[in-house]
Amino acid sequence: LLLIAFNAAALYYTARALISLTEIMGAVKEVSAGNLDYSLEGKKISDAFAGLVQDLQSIQGGLKKAVAEAVKGERMKTDLITNVSHDLKTPLTSIVNYVDLLKKEELNNDKAYEYVHILEEKSARLKQLIEDLVEASKASSGSLAVKTEKVDLNELVMQACGEYEEKIRQAGIDMRINSLEKSTLISADGKYMWRILENLLSNALKYSMPGSRVYIDINHNDRFGALTIKNVSANPLDISPEQLTERFVRGDASRTTEGSGLGLSIAQSLTVIQGGRFKIEIDGDLFKVTVEMPLWPEE
């Protein structure tokens, strides 16, 4: 009788320990998946694992606090950028207006005309930088509203290249467009897709080697329509693909070309908020960027 009682007790505690271990493993899996609010039922946990459960709950609490602080910091940073940018727009608008007034005046001085022209260029560049900064903050914070619609990727690319025809000619670039299909329908926001394409084309024109070719490939698989742009950089690309998508990072370390360093960051953020995928590859001086967007569902 004692042996039977002992075996029964051992079996009970072993079974309870196994159930407790299963519950703890399930909780760890939930936490690792991002569910920081998952709670263990204390009744199902053996006393032998009480300390482990407390440690797990401490980890959950620490992670929740860290995530909350990160979200708060990102929100404050976005608000700060937006507010500062708004405050900068008011004096900048005045500068632009006074430059326009100066251009209408009869300035009998070649130096004065030159200075006014420089002021016009720099104020326009500053205005574009502020607008890019605000857009980058909104895109990275996910606060932009996405209106999904049917977009023909082939038609969008042809239209964008038509808009940039004069700039392409001035840059001395040979633009080559390759597509296996006449039409590639994707599910995206047309306004944001246009901005993505604008940024990528501007990036290619600014940093491509003069006289080289830029290849635009359009294709698709079972789930995504893909846009790939390849060009040879005029400057050595001594930088990782991950760094190029960071804010204010550009391909030319000497910063000899115009640009805010926000173009690729904005393109990546706009791609992600639409449910797409953004990838940059560097092979020597060959720069390759791929944007994948979900295909439009068939009828």
Side-chain angles (χ1 to χ4, degrees):
L1 291 176
L2 288 174
L3 184 59
I4 292 173
F6 176 78
N7 288 337
L11 182 61
Y12 169 76
Y13 283 109
T14 302
R16 189 177 179 188
L18 290 174
I19 293 173
S20 300
L21 190 58
T22 303
E23 291 289 330
I24 292 172
M25 290 173 64
V28 171
K29 188 175 182 179
E30 289 290 332
V31 172
S32 65
N35 184 8
L36 302 180
D37 294 322
Y38 184 84
S39 60
L40 282 169
E41 295 184 17
K43 297 179 180 179
K44 295 182 179 181
I45 304 301
S46 173
D47 293 339
F49 293 98
L52 182 59
V53 171
Q54 289 180 358
D55 292 339
L56 180 60
Q57 290 173 342
S58 297
I59 293 174
Q60 279 183 279
L63 287 173
K64 288 175 67 175
K65 184 178 180 181
V67 170
E69 290 293 331
V71 171
K72 181 181 177 181
E74 186 65 27
R75 188 181 296 112
M76 290 178 62
K77 182 169 61 175
T78 301
D79 292 341
L80 176 63
I81 292 174
T82 303
N83 293 334
V84 171
S85 300
H86 182 269
D87 292 339
L88 289 174
K89 280 184 178 180
T90 302
L92 180 60
T93 302
S94 299
I95 293 173
V96 172
N97 291 336
Y98 278 111
V99 169
D100 288 338
L101 291 174
L102 282 173
K103 288 171 62 179
K104 296 176 183 178
E105 295 291 330
E106 293 184 5
L107 302 176
N108 300 320
N109 189 318
D110 292 338
K111 282 290 183 181
Y113 275 114
E114 182 182 350
Y115 295 155
V116 170
H117 181 67
I118 293 173
L119 281 172
E120 184 181 23
E121 284 187 348
K122 299 304 180 183
S123 59
R125 184 177 178 184
L126 182 57
K127 181 180 179 181
Q128 186 62 49
L129 174 60
I130 293 173
E131 291 175 353
D132 287 348
L133 185 58
V134 173
E135 186 172 7
S137 299
K138 290 181 178 179
S140 62
S141 63
S143 59
L144 294 176
V146 177
K147 183 181 179 181
T148 303
E149 57 187 355
K150 180 168 62 175
V151 177
D152 189 338
L153 193 56
N154 295 55
E155 183 179 337
L156 193 68
V157 170
M158 295 301 296
Q159 185 179 353
C161 289
E163 292 281 345
Y164 275 77
E165 184 177 0
E166 181 64 22
K167 293 182 179 179
I168 293 172
R169 186 185 61 80
Q170 292 177 356
I173 298 297
D174 183 11
M175 194 75 68
R176 301 290 181 92
I177 303 174
N178 303 311
S179 177
L180 299 177
E181 305 287 343
K182 292 184 179 180
S183 178
T184 303
L185 301 179
I186 58 174
S187 178
D189 189 309
K191 179 177 65 177
Y192 296 148
M193 282 303 302
W194 178 260
R195 184 59 198 271
I196 291 171
L197 197 52
E198 272 190 328
N199 287 5
L200 296 182
L201 286 177
S202 296
N203 184 77
L205 295 180
K206 286 177 185 175
Y207 300 113
S208 292
M209 182 179 294
S212 62
R213 299 182 181 88
V214 174
Y215 292 91
I216 301 178
D217 298 326
I218 305 171
N219 52 57
H220 65 86
N221 53 31
D222 295 337
R223 295 177 54 207
F224 293 91
L227 168 68
T228 302
I229 299 180
K230 295 179 287 187
N231 67 281
V232 177
S233 174
N235 299 296
L237 290 174
D238 299 327
I239 190 171
S240 67
E242 292 76 17
Q243 286 178 294
L244 278 175
T245 53
E246 294 178 1
R247 297 182 187 180
F248 306 107
V249 174
R250 305 191 301 179
D252 59 330
S254 60
R255 305 185 74 85
T256 55
T257 60
E258 292 189 2
S260 61
L262 292 168
L264 292 177
S265 175
I266 293 174
Q268 183 186 42
S269 298
L270 292 178
T271 301
V272 172
I273 65 173
Q274 295 179 86
R277 300 186 296 197
F278 189 90
K279 183 180 180 182
I280 291 178
E281 298 175 77
I282 295 176
D283 185 0
D285 291 335
L286 177 65
F287 176 85
K288 177 180 176 182
V289 57
T290 302
V291 176
E292 293 182 324
M293 300 300 298
L295 290 174
W296 183 258
E298 298 290 341
E299 295 293 339

